Amino acid sequence: MTPKDRKKLLIDKDLTMTELAKRINRDRSWVVQTMHGHVMPRPTQEAIAKELGLTVEIIFPHDKVPKRAA
């Protein structure tokens, strides 16, 4: 899923980033950064996925995670 797809998912669920952050007990700015793919905190991804009723792999596909330089 792209950040745009994740935003559409929130709209479909009638949720704002602020409401999502409150539901998962995280700071709004942290949720926004995670949803846009700027940070990849696994616990936050898992909390978001659980709240939205999907798996982490669907919402935050592993192939989109930045790879470390060798």
Side-chain angles (χ1 to χ4, degrees), residues 22-50:
K22 286 179 184 176
R23 287 185 181 192
I24 65 170
N25 198 29
R26 302 290 197 287
D27 185 73
R28 181 191 172 278
S29 65
W30 193 247
V31 170
V32 170
Q33 289 180 52
T34 303
M35 292 290 280
H36 287 285
H38 300 299
V39 296
M40 299 292 185
R42 187 65 179 200
T44 301
Q45 289 177 333
E46 290 171 352
I48 290 169
K50 183 178 178 183

